Amino acid sequence: MPDAQPDLPWLGRPHTVSAPRRRSPAAVIGVCLGAVAVLVLGLVAIVVLNRGETPLATANYRDNPSAQDLSSQPQPGGAGAPASASSLPSETSAPSATGPQKILKLADHPILQDPNAGLQNRVCTLPTWQSTQAGAEAFFTAASKCLDAAWGPFLEAYHLPFTPPALHFPTGASFETECGTIQVGIATAAYYCENNLYVPFRGLQTDQYGNNPGVYLALFAHEYGHHVQEVAGLMDAAWQKIYEAGQNSPAGLEMSRRKELQAQCFSGMFLGAHVDQGGSVSRDMYNKAWNDQETRGDNTSRSHDHGTNAHYASWWRAGATSNRIADCNTFAAPSSEVS
């Protein structure tokens, strides 16, 4: 698929106005001149689009207010990084020959090239957080609608095959996915696999985090970030590299960290685009999510596939403060920034 800049579906389209039954000569001349003007403008638009210079920034993107970098200490026994997985591309996950298709690229993926591309600032309305199974389901179901509305148009503008992920709310000590049996624990606050997003309430550790919806929203947006990668083709391309190198090899683990840290950046983008917009994503939620990122990562989970706590926080904050997807190109970052 060519790496062209996308059409912008949020721009206005010409509409037809019924012509009067009778026209004076002056009206006819005016109509002709108008038609010529429309034709010229149309040709200019086509040339601009073909040159690939139409910036997505015209869609009301702006830099969001930077959060105050309040000092915070990781909480003892804090939750580890959310887990995620995917399998190698298969016939069922491969793009069709016609219509929108995934693009299996990494650092040079088209969605990561425009320095002005980001999520539109939108209002996200969520129910009040309640630390119950039913309350969590209502909260995340509403959050998924906000994430669909944020990422769907963005991905579709690049002609990628966007569909919302299927939500699941497991209640047992483990649950089945296409990626295998997943045990609910410190590393499974949420889990993504093959267009399915799982949120086991028991993994959220509400006894520790309590009434902190910003923390839960950031976790959920991280896993949704993996769906963005899946739809775009980034996920399949990353897993190809991981399997080629070996999942537990240094190269395989580094690729896994790049994938996870990009999902962190996508999570930050979402909260940054929705804070202070008049909806439910308040500055307090945003600040608590900002500070919570330092409690998550490989230092907490004692793994090597998500990135250090410091990098886990820095990539989330990069997305949150700039709301520019080019700033989430972890696949082009030096190894020192994804350790």
mmCIF file of all heavy atoms in Angstrom, residues 51-75:
data_model
loop_
_atom_site.group_PDB
_atom_site.id
_atom_site.type_symbol
_atom_site.label_atom_id
_atom_site.label_comp_id
_atom_site.label_asym_id
_atom_site.label_seq_id
_atom_site.Cartn_x
_atom_site.Cartn_y
_atom_site.Cartn_z
ATOM 1 N N ARG A 51 0.506 15.205 -3.503
ATOM 2 C CA ARG A 51 1.853 15.535 -3.051
ATOM 3 C C ARG A 51 2.104 15.064 -1.626
ATOM 4 O O ARG A 51 3.209 15.121 -1.118
ATOM 5 C CB ARG A 51 2.060 17.053 -3.134
ATOM 6 C CG ARG A 51 2.145 17.574 -4.561
ATOM 7 C CD ARG A 51 2.219 19.088 -4.572
ATOM 8 N NE ARG A 51 3.392 19.551 -3.866
ATOM 9 C CZ ARG A 51 3.579 20.830 -3.544
ATOM 10 N NH1 ARG A 51 2.683 21.738 -3.863
ATOM 11 N NH2 ARG A 51 4.671 21.189 -2.900
ATOM 12 N N GLY A 52 1.046 14.587 -0.964
ATOM 13 C CA GLY A 52 1.221 14.052 0.374
ATOM 14 C C GLY A 52 1.550 15.106 1.405
ATOM 15 O O GLY A 52 2.259 14.845 2.359
ATOM 16 N N GLU A 53 1.041 16.358 1.222
ATOM 17 C CA GLU A 53 1.404 17.438 2.118
ATOM 18 C C GLU A 53 0.229 17.906 2.966
ATOM 19 O O GLU A 53 0.300 18.937 3.615
ATOM 20 C CB GLU A 53 1.971 18.612 1.305
ATOM 21 C CG GLU A 53 3.278 18.280 0.603
ATOM 22 C CD GLU A 53 3.806 19.426 -0.241
ATOM 23 O OE1 GLU A 53 3.088 20.439 -0.373
ATOM 24 O OE2 GLU A 53 4.925 19.303 -0.759
ATOM 25 N N THR A 54 -0.874 17.185 2.937
ATOM 26 C CA THR A 54 -2.019 17.587 3.729
ATOM 27 C C THR A 54 -1.827 17.132 5.164
ATOM 28 O O THR A 54 -1.827 15.942 5.437
ATOM 29 C CB THR A 54 -3.313 16.966 3.162
ATOM 30 O OG1 THR A 54 -3.424 17.340 1.796
ATOM 31 C CG2 THR A 54 -4.516 17.473 3.930
ATOM 32 N N PRO A 55 -1.643 18.039 6.093
ATOM 33 C CA PRO A 55 -1.382 17.639 7.484
ATOM 34 C C PRO A 55 -2.648 17.285 8.222
ATOM 35 O O PRO A 55 -3.694 17.913 8.034
ATOM 36 C CB PRO A 55 -0.727 18.895 8.089
ATOM 37 C CG PRO A 55 -1.340 20.029 7.321
ATOM 38 C CD PRO A 55 -1.585 19.498 5.923
ATOM 39 N N LEU A 56 -2.594 16.249 9.049
ATOM 40 C CA LEU A 56 -3.733 15.897 9.873
ATOM 41 C C LEU A 56 -3.991 16.945 10.945
ATOM 42 O O LEU A 56 -5.035 16.963 11.561
ATOM 43 C CB LEU A 56 -3.497 14.538 10.536
ATOM 44 C CG LEU A 56 -3.496 13.346 9.593
ATOM 45 C CD1 LEU A 56 -3.167 12.087 10.367
ATOM 46 C CD2 LEU A 56 -4.818 13.197 8.895
ATOM 47 N N ALA A 57 -3.046 17.831 11.152
ATOM 48 C CA ALA A 57 -3.189 18.829 12.208
ATOM 49 C C ALA A 57 -4.339 19.781 11.940
ATOM 50 O O ALA A 57 -4.745 20.522 12.823
ATOM 51 C CB ALA A 57 -1.907 19.627 12.364
ATOM 52 N N THR A 58 -4.892 19.809 10.709
ATOM 53 C CA THR A 58 -6.023 20.685 10.434
ATOM 54 C C THR A 58 -7.286 20.211 11.128
ATOM 55 O O THR A 58 -8.285 20.896 11.120
ATOM 56 C CB THR A 58 -6.301 20.735 8.925
ATOM 57 O OG1 THR A 58 -6.527 19.406 8.445
ATOM 58 C CG2 THR A 58 -5.125 21.347 8.172
ATOM 59 N N ALA A 59 -7.253 19.046 11.727
ATOM 60 C CA ALA A 59 -8.448 18.480 12.354
ATOM 61 C C ALA A 59 -8.538 18.826 13.835
ATOM 62 O O ALA A 59 -8.854 18.008 14.669
ATOM 63 C CB ALA A 59 -8.472 16.970 12.179
ATOM 64 N N ASN A 60 -8.224 20.081 14.162
ATOM 65 C CA ASN A 60 -8.365 20.581 15.538
ATOM 66 C C ASN A 60 -7.447 19.880 16.510
ATOM 67 O O ASN A 60 -7.794 19.681 17.662
ATOM 68 C CB ASN A 60 -9.827 20.457 16.020
ATOM 69 C CG ASN A 60 -10.057 21.241 17.306
ATOM 70 O OD1 ASN A 60 -9.442 22.279 17.522
ATOM 71 N ND2 ASN A 60 -10.944 20.736 18.158
ATOM 72 N N TYR A 61 -6.269 19.462 16.071
ATOM 73 C CA TYR A 61 -5.302 18.933 17.012
ATOM 74 C C TYR A 61 -4.609 20.110 17.681
ATOM 75 O O TYR A 61 -4.357 21.127 17.070
ATOM 76 C CB TYR A 61 -4.241 18.077 16.311
ATOM 77 C CG TYR A 61 -4.808 16.931 15.542
ATOM 78 C CD1 TYR A 61 -4.317 16.624 14.289
ATOM 79 C CD2 TYR A 61 -5.856 16.173 16.057
ATOM 80 C CE1 TYR A 61 -4.836 15.574 13.567
ATOM 81 C CE2 TYR A 61 -6.381 15.134 15.339
ATOM 82 C CZ TYR A 61 -5.870 14.831 14.089
ATOM 83 O OH TYR A 61 -6.395 13.801 13.382
ATOM 84 N N ARG A 62 -4.269 19.982 18.892
ATOM 85 C CA ARG A 62 -3.516 21.013 19.584
ATOM 86 C C ARG A 62 -2.683 20.354 20.662
ATOM 87 O O ARG A 62 -2.953 19.234 21.079
ATOM 88 C CB ARG A 62 -4.439 22.062 20.220
ATOM 89 C CG ARG A 62 -5.320 21.508 21.337
ATOM 90 C CD ARG A 62 -6.061 22.632 22.030
ATOM 91 N NE ARG A 62 -6.979 22.148 23.043
ATOM 92 C CZ ARG A 62 -6.620 21.802 24.269
ATOM 93 N NH1 ARG A 62 -5.357 21.840 24.627
ATOM 94 N NH2 ARG A 62 -7.517 21.387 25.148
ATOM 95 N N ASP A 63 -1.700 21.082 21.146
ATOM 96 C CA ASP A 63 -0.924 20.577 22.272
ATOM 97 C C ASP A 63 -1.787 20.686 23.518
ATOM 98 O O ASP A 63 -2.349 21.736 23.798
ATOM 99 C CB ASP A 63 0.360 21.398 22.455
ATOM 100 C CG ASP A 63 1.355 21.121 21.348
ATOM 101 O OD1 ASP A 63 1.314 20.026 20.777
ATOM 102 O OD2 ASP A 63 2.162 22.016 21.061
ATOM 103 N N ASN A 64 -1.878 19.610 24.251
ATOM 104 C CA ASN A 64 -2.690 19.624 25.455
ATOM 105 C C ASN A 64 -1.889 20.147 26.631
ATOM 106 O O ASN A 64 -0.659 20.101 26.627
ATOM 107 C CB ASN A 64 -3.190 18.207 25.761
ATOM 108 C CG ASN A 64 -4.211 17.789 24.741
ATOM 109 O OD1 ASN A 64 -5.362 18.178 24.813
ATOM 110 N ND2 ASN A 64 -3.775 17.034 23.735
ATOM 111 N N PRO A 65 -2.570 20.640 27.642
ATOM 112 C CA PRO A 65 -1.847 21.165 28.806
ATOM 113 C C PRO A 65 -0.913 20.120 29.388
ATOM 114 O O PRO A 65 -1.302 18.971 29.581
ATOM 115 C CB PRO A 65 -2.970 21.511 29.783
ATOM 116 C CG PRO A 65 -4.186 21.674 28.939
ATOM 117 C CD PRO A 65 -4.012 20.718 27.799
ATOM 118 N N SER A 66 0.304 20.501 29.661
ATOM 119 C CA SER A 66 1.253 19.581 30.279
ATOM 120 C C SER A 66 0.864 19.343 31.731
ATOM 121 O O SER A 66 0.498 20.268 32.446
ATOM 122 C CB SER A 66 2.671 20.149 30.222
ATOM 123 O OG SER A 66 3.072 20.319 28.882
ATOM 124 N N ALA A 67 0.947 18.116 32.164
ATOM 125 C CA ALA A 67 0.644 17.821 33.564
ATOM 126 C C ALA A 67 1.791 18.281 34.439
ATOM 127 O O ALA A 67 2.942 18.320 34.023
ATOM 128 C CB ALA A 67 0.423 16.327 33.755
ATOM 129 N N GLN A 68 1.497 18.635 35.667
ATOM 130 C CA GLN A 68 2.545 18.955 36.618
ATOM 131 C C GLN A 68 3.229 17.659 37.027
ATOM 132 O O GLN A 68 2.578 16.691 37.390
ATOM 133 C CB GLN A 68 1.940 19.632 37.849
ATOM 134 C CG GLN A 68 1.262 20.958 37.536
ATOM 135 C CD GLN A 68 0.600 21.552 38.763
ATOM 136 O OE1 GLN A 68 0.575 20.934 39.819
ATOM 137 N NE2 GLN A 68 0.086 22.748 38.610
ATOM 138 N N ASP A 69 4.538 17.661 36.909
ATOM 139 C CA ASP A 69 5.276 16.446 37.234
ATOM 140 C C ASP A 69 5.434 16.363 38.750
ATOM 141 O O ASP A 69 6.483 16.650 39.307
ATOM 142 C CB ASP A 69 6.647 16.462 36.544
ATOM 143 C CG ASP A 69 7.331 15.123 36.654
ATOM 144 O OD1 ASP A 69 6.740 14.194 37.211
ATOM 145 O OD2 ASP A 69 8.471 15.014 36.186
ATOM 146 N N LEU A 70 4.316 15.969 39.391
ATOM 147 C CA LEU A 70 4.331 15.872 40.844
ATOM 148 C C LEU A 70 5.159 14.675 41.257
ATOM 149 O O LEU A 70 5.066 13.602 40.680
ATOM 150 C CB LEU A 70 2.903 15.734 41.368
ATOM 151 C CG LEU A 70 1.936 16.842 40.911
ATOM 152 C CD1 LEU A 70 0.534 16.532 41.400
ATOM 153 C CD2 LEU A 70 2.405 18.188 41.435
ATOM 154 N N SER A 71 5.950 14.843 42.267
ATOM 155 C CA SER A 71 6.781 13.731 42.735
ATOM 156 C C SER A 71 5.906 12.703 43.414
ATOM 157 O O SER A 71 4.964 13.036 44.114
ATOM 158 C CB SER A 71 7.837 14.245 43.718
ATOM 159 O OG SER A 71 7.215 14.847 44.832
ATOM 160 N N SER A 72 6.199 11.443 43.155
ATOM 161 C CA SER A 72 5.462 10.352 43.790
ATOM 162 C C SER A 72 6.384 9.163 43.911
ATOM 163 O O SER A 72 7.296 8.990 43.110
ATOM 164 C CB SER A 72 4.233 9.976 42.966
ATOM 165 O OG SER A 72 4.630 9.458 41.724
ATOM 166 N N GLN A 73 6.145 8.357 44.908
ATOM 167 C CA GLN A 73 6.947 7.161 45.123
ATOM 168 C C GLN A 73 6.140 5.945 44.720
ATOM 169 O O GLN A 73 4.939 5.875 44.948
ATOM 170 C CB GLN A 73 7.319 7.051 46.607
ATOM 171 C CG GLN A 73 8.224 8.182 47.095
ATOM 172 C CD GLN A 73 9.565 8.180 46.381
ATOM 173 O OE1 GLN A 73 10.109 7.112 46.105
ATOM 174 N NE2 GLN A 73 10.090 9.351 46.087
ATOM 175 N N PRO A 74 6.768 4.970 44.070
ATOM 176 C CA PRO A 74 6.055 3.736 43.746
ATOM 177 C C PRO A 74 5.475 3.102 45.002
ATOM 178 O O PRO A 74 6.137 3.046 46.035
ATOM 179 C CB PRO A 74 7.142 2.862 43.119
ATOM 180 C CG PRO A 74 8.184 3.831 42.646
ATOM 181 C CD PRO A 74 8.150 4.967 43.632
ATOM 182 N N GLN A 75 4.247 2.645 44.885
ATOM 183 C CA GLN A 75 3.617 2.021 46.036
ATOM 184 C C GLN A 75 4.145 0.596 46.206
ATOM 185 O O GLN A 75 4.321 -0.123 45.228
ATOM 186 C CB GLN A 75 2.104 1.985 45.838
ATOM 187 C CG GLN A 75 1.503 3.377 45.658
ATOM 188 C CD GLN A 75 0.010 3.311 45.508
ATOM 189 O OE1 GLN A 75 -0.642 2.460 46.100
ATOM 190 N NE2 GLN A 75 -0.542 4.208 44.719
#
